Amino acid sequence: MTLAHEVTRQELPLFDEQGRSAAVADQVGRNLHYLPDLPEEDPYQAGHRTCAGCGPAIEYRWVLKAAGQNTVVAGPTGCMYVANATYMSTPYTVPWAHTQIASGGSFTSGVAAAYEAMIRKGKYRGTYPNIIVMAGDGSASDIGIGSISGALYRGHDALFICYDNECYANTGIQVSPTTPYGGNTTFTPPGKVIPEGKKLPPKNLAKMMAEGHPNCYVATTTVGYPIDLMNKTRKGLNYRGAAFMHVYTPCQKGWVYQTPMTVELGRRVVEAGLFPVWEYDPATRTYDYFVPPTMRPVTDYLAMQGRFGHMHPEHVATMQRAANRNWEDMGVEVPDWLRELEDPAHQQSLKETTYSMPVQRGIGA
């Protein structure tokens, strides 16, 4: 059989990001959240059962709004499978398939290969769809990392996303490889023997993917920067080959914070230096880092969440040292006042700590 048909792919335009989506300082006005030029279509509709303030649900909606209707989605077992797959009722207006927790990468590879073959054989007349798998950190960084790595290595034309709520939230808030140092989970409870809770630092998943698969587009982002998230979604889909995106998505149930603060946490984690936002260019093999206009002590982030409330001064100082190393890796000069906070003598127990509250961040959000 002659494979005479050419595979036609979509090209999604990027959104104007200048001064938008909380990427400016407080005094400029971080209330620019009404974005009338975004697509009206919502492939992720009402009808799901996620928790109030669910970070992954926000990520799902923005990713699919950016991708549009000509999209096929896979979802390995996790929070968003359970919350979005009530019998005979799902929130999707695009094709969606549940896969086993370990097979998100292999299933999506098969979907991509099948569309390529059907189009070339003339059995499918449409354009190549946007093929996306959205896997939680338990799948993407742990149980299913092998199948995703294999898909990236083979270069299947699809976007592989890790929505990272830093725990196995679906099954009871167990520790995952991306749970931060000091995180209180059901598997890492703080106590007299191990007062800090989790002893290990989180796995640097996105850097593993970029360094291990240098021919792929790789990016990180958070729900604190919606236009950045949507533009990186489109960049990953426009890239001819495999793309990977790591998205920070707070979990109100597991992290214990005020429900309206999900998007705020998505900004503060970046401003505290604990989740660097960047994209990797496979053509030049370089990283382009986003440097937030505000730099914060880690306490401004940690003290908002109950999962860190047990931390002692030495634990907070450990987190500050990790944040300062991240700033250094980004090429940012660390100010002296942040260096001083690496000393436990300059810290308090988190339960005694006060932190800065949002400044004009709820207006129009």
Side-chain angles (χ1 to χ4, degrees):
M1 178 183 295
T2 302
L3 303 181
H5 298 273
E6 183 178 353
V7 178
T8 303
R9 289 176 166 83
Q10 305 172 77
E11 186 71 27
L12 299 169
L14 301 184
F15 302 105
D16 178 19
E17 196 171 353
Q18 186 64 35
R20 308 287 287 279
S21 69
V24 294
D26 291 336
Q27 63 271 22
V28 177
R30 301 177 68 151
N31 56 345
L32 302 175
H33 301 294
Y34 177 57
L35 308 172
D37 54 335
L38 297 186
E40 293 184 1
E41 59 187 2
D42 262 322
Y44 184 74
Q45 290 281 344
H48 53 82
R49 297 179 296 129
T50 63
C51 303
C54 175
I58 296 172
E59 177 268 336
Y60 256 61
R61 187 182 184 197
W62 289 343
V63 163
L64 292 179
K65 181 179 275 290
Q69 288 297 142
N70 188 19
T71 300
V72 177
V73 185
T77 298
C79 287
M80 298 305 283
Y81 155 60
V82 173
N84 296 329
T86 307
Y87 180 64
M88 297 297 288
S89 176
T90 72
Y92 305 105
T93 64
V94 295
W96 174 88
H98 167 237
T99 78
Q100 295 301 312
I101 192 169
S103 60
S106 53
F107 179 91
T108 307
S109 299
V111 172
Y115 270 103
E116 290 262 7
M118 289 192 298
I119 292 172
R120 294 191 184 281
K121 292 178 180 180
K123 295 183 178 181
Y124 180 78
R125 302 292 183 179
T127 58
Y128 188 84
N130 295 315
I131 299 173
I132 304 173
V133 60
M134 290 187 270
D137 49 293
S139 173
S141 71
D142 197 4
I143 299 175
I145 191 173
S147 68
I148 291 180
S149 175
L152 296 177
Y153 174 72
R154 294 188 297 271
H156 292 284
D157 197 353
L159 175 59
F160 300 83
I161 297 177
C162 171
Y163 64 88
D164 185 5
N165 57 13
E166 300 182 341
C167 61
Y168 278 90
N170 172 46
T171 50
I173 321 298
Q174 292 90 0
V175 69
S176 88
T178 61
T179 303
Y181 166 85
N184 180 3
T185 72
T186 54
F187 281 12
T188 58
K192 293 182 178 180
V193 176
I194 306 177
E196 64 267 49
K198 190 188 180 209
K199 295 177 67 68
L200 299 174
K203 182 182 290 186
N204 197 338
L205 177 64
K207 280 290 180 76
M208 289 174 59
M209 294 305 191
E211 295 295 328
H213 312 87
N215 295 321
C216 299
Y217 171 83
V218 182
T220 68
T221 187
T222 87
V223 295
Y225 303 95
I227 306 301
D228 182 69
L229 192 160
M230 295 175 73
N231 274 341
K232 285 174 177 172
T233 296
R234 289 193 164 186
K235 288 179 182 180
L237 292 171
N238 289 341
Y239 184 72
R240 300 300 175 245
F244 181 84
M245 189 164 71
H246 186 177
V247 187
Y248 169 93
T249 56
C251 170
Q252 196 278 337
K253 177 183 176 182
W255 299 10
V256 192
Y257 61 84
Q258 297 178 45
T259 300
M261 291 291 104
T262 298
V263 172
E264 175 67 21
L265 284 170
R267 304 169 197 166
R268 291 202 170 206
V269 71
V270 180
E271 295 168 343
L274 292 172
F275 189 88
V277 168
W278 48 263
E279 62 182 340
Y280 168 81
D281 183 354
T284 61
R285 298 197 176 186
T286 57
Y287 295 89
D288 181 17
Y289 290 97
F290 165 69
V291 179
T294 300
M295 294 176 70
R296 298 182 178 276
V298 295
T299 50
D300 272 8
Y301 170 72
L302 301 175
M304 293 180 69
Q305 304 164 67
R307 63 174 175 161
F308 297 117
H310 60 279
M311 295 178 76
H312 298 168
E314 58 269 28
H315 308 142
V316 181
T318 297
M319 291 288 274
Q320 189 65 63
R321 283 193 293 273
N324 290 348
R325 299 299 88 75
N326 286 338
W327 291 124
E328 292 171 353
D329 290 343
M330 295 167 61
V332 176
E333 184 175 351
V334 182
D336 292 340
W337 63 273
L338 284 181
R339 295 285 189 195
E340 291 176 356
L341 294 176
E342 296 183 13
D343 183 354
H346 289 86
Q347 298 286 358
Q348 293 178 297
S349 295
L350 270 188
K351 62 183 178 181
E352 301 170 353
T353 300
T354 58
Y355 62 94
S356 67
M357 292 299 291
V359 180
Q360 294 187 346
R361 292 187 172 183
I363 302 174

